[in-house]
Amino acid sequence: MTVKEYVKARKEEIKAYVSNLELKPHFVVIQVNEDAGSNAYVKGKLKDSDELGIKADLIKLPLDTSEEELLSLIDKLNNDSSIDGFIVQMPLPKQINEEKVKLAVSPLKDVDGFHPLSPLNPCTPQGIINYLHSENIEMCGANALVIGRSNIVGKPMAKLLLKENCNVTIVHSKTKFEDMARYIANADIIVIAIGRQAFLDNKYTYKDSAVIIDVGISRDETGLHGDALPNLPVKLQTPVPGGVGLLTRLALMENLIKIYNKNHQ
Ligand code: NAP
């Protein structure tokens, strides 16, 4: 199944589930930026909620909002029992400390799964694992290579692959070319999240049975591009657009439903 087909099918299931709930899940997005990428992401999250029958509100704050003001709004939402979960769209203006904000969101309402005490996982890695399962990709004992080591993608991705019993290697910008080439040639599953257009191309060799999950997004005048050149000689490669972005959005909705169920059990 392509990512699009998988996401469509899962959304139908969630929609049917939500339609049977008397009290609809309530999701809130806080946005404190005018970033074009964020506007598109927020629009997508609100559209998904609407499509699934989830009540969703956007609280858009001015760019000069202080850290205290944002933390006080977060505190209010943490204590509002009519709200199941919420997210603070990143990036934030420079007067606001992003780490402080991530820690201020109650782990019980943290739909993004960013809080270290959150029982949920960050959406991008979780969405990828769910898709790999849906495609019956053998993870136990597989050589998984994670390219990129950020706190929101690379590191949690490596942790989840390890939990699936993969042999996990993480590489980054300081990895030497010959090592990178060796790790890539040996990988059964490659997750790349670096934001460098077509970093994975034909200069590397791949196992023809390999799976490439392309997280990267670069924008230029011709549109969106992934970290991997399309149509590499592997078994499965997720496209950009129409790949991990959709999986991330789906995982966000799934996280919200998990929180709802916990609150209403
Ligand atoms: P980030 O915080 O900027 O981290 C980038 C990582 O890539 C760093 O670990 C960096 O290594 C590594 N890197 C950079 N250049 C490299 C190179 N030439 N070779 C090897 N490693 C290199 O980025 P992020 O937040 O993880 O996001 C990564 C990409 O995924 C971005 O394009 C972002 O837009 C995209 N993304 C997409 C989704 C989605 O839903 N589709 C979600 C999140 C992110 P060092 O640590 O050594 O600097």
Side-chain angles (χ1 to χ4, degrees), residues 41 124 147-150 152-154 171-174 180 193-196 199 215-217 227 244-245 248:
Y41 295 141
T124 299
I147 311 181
R149 55 175 166 179
S150 72
I152 63 160
V153 189
V171 290
H172 43 74
S173 70
K174 306 292 185 285
M180 183 73 84
I194 65 174
R196 302 279 182 277
F199 178 89
V215 184
I217 301 173
D227 286 344
V244 173
T248 301

Side-chain angles (χ1 to χ4, degrees), residues 6 126-139 160 164:
Y6 162 72
Q126 184 61 59
I128 291 170
I129 293 287
N130 294 348
Y131 180 61
L132 291 173
H133 277 302
S134 83
E135 285 296 302
N136 295 317
I137 302 298
E138 180 69 55
M139 285 189 267
L160 293 191
E164 298 290 338

Side-chain angles (χ1 to χ4, degrees), residues 3 22 24-25 39 48 65 74 82 91 102 115 119 128 152 160 173 176 186 221 224 234 238 245 254 257 263 265:
V3 170
E22 214 166 288
K24 302 300 175 203
N39 284 340
D48 289 341
T65 299
I74 291 173
S82 74
K102 284 180 194 163
H115 194 290
I128 291 170
I152 63 160
L160 293 191
S173 70
K176 293 184 184 79
N186 194 39
E221 57 291 344
L224 293 189
V234 293
T238 60
E254 290 174 329
I257 300 293
N263 290 345
Q265 69 194 350

Side-chain angles (χ1 to χ4, degrees), residues 96-111:
I96 303 177
N97 180 320
E98 291 190 352
E99 291 312 308
K100 222 169 173 178
V101 166
K102 284 180 194 163
L103 291 176
V105 176
S106 161
L108 302 174
K109 296 204 172 187
D110 178 23
V111 190

Side-chain angles (χ1 to χ4, degrees), residues 20 33 55 82 92 143 186 205 238:
N20 284 321
N33 67 45
K55 178 173 156 48
S82 74
L92 294 170
N143 295 332
N186 194 39
T205 52
T238 60

